[in-house]
Amino acid sequence: MAFFDELKDKAMDLGRAGVAKSRQLAEIAKLNLANSAEEDAIKKAYIEIGKLYYAERGMAPEAAYVALCEKITASKVTIEENKSRIAELKAEGDLVDADVPPMATDIPPEEPGFGGDDTNSTF
């Protein structure tokens, strides 16, 4: 009978060890998820810092930021050129906005437009 009691005790110990290990793994997963959320918050803050810097200093950036600000400005010019061409193509083909799939942009609406009419701009 001692054999069965010993076997039962070993099974109970294994069960407790399994539960403890499961709790550790669950806590690790929870902490990893929390870290991912914090990393996303950091990325969003970095993006906001960049947007704020460009809005305030983009036309006269400090030396370390000149190339990046020039890329943004060049991209804005390209976007405006593309919008003009889209308008031309719509006019040529008698298309309306419902015929053309929309394109989302990451440029916030509070940022001033770059040339052209700001009322229809996504800038």
Side-chain angles (χ1 to χ4, degrees):
M1 197 64 151
F3 174 73
F4 289 115
D5 288 337
E6 197 175 302
L7 188 58
K8 181 177 134 185
D9 289 342
K10 285 185 181 182
M12 293 293 284
D13 288 343
L14 285 174
R16 284 188 206 111
V19 169
K21 187 62 78 177
S22 293
R23 285 185 181 149
Q24 287 175 335
L25 291 174
E27 186 174 1
I28 288 169
K30 182 179 175 182
L31 292 170
N32 279 330
L33 186 60
N35 285 347
S36 291
E38 293 300 325
E39 288 171 356
D40 286 343
I42 290 169
K43 287 177 187 176
K44 288 177 183 178
Y46 281 147
I47 289 169
E48 289 304 313
I49 289 169
K51 288 178 184 178
L52 182 61
Y53 182 88
Y54 184 80
E56 291 179 359
R57 305 282 314 260
M59 296 304 126
E62 295 172 24
Y65 304 101
V66 170
L68 293 171
C69 288
E70 286 175 350
K71 284 181 184 180
I72 292 170
T73 302
S75 291
K76 285 185 174 194
V77 168
T78 301
I79 289 169
E80 287 302 317
E81 290 170 352
N82 290 344
K83 284 182 179 181
S84 294
R85 182 63 181 143
I86 288 168
E88 290 173 12
L89 291 170
K90 284 181 182 179
E92 288 174 9
D94 294 324
L95 299 173
V96 292
D97 285 338
D99 297 331
V100 181
M103 185 184 122
T105 62
D106 292 326
I107 300 170
E110 67 271 4
E111 190 172 315
F114 189 82
D117 181 16
D118 287 345
T119 58
N120 293 329
S121 179
T122 56
F123 294 97

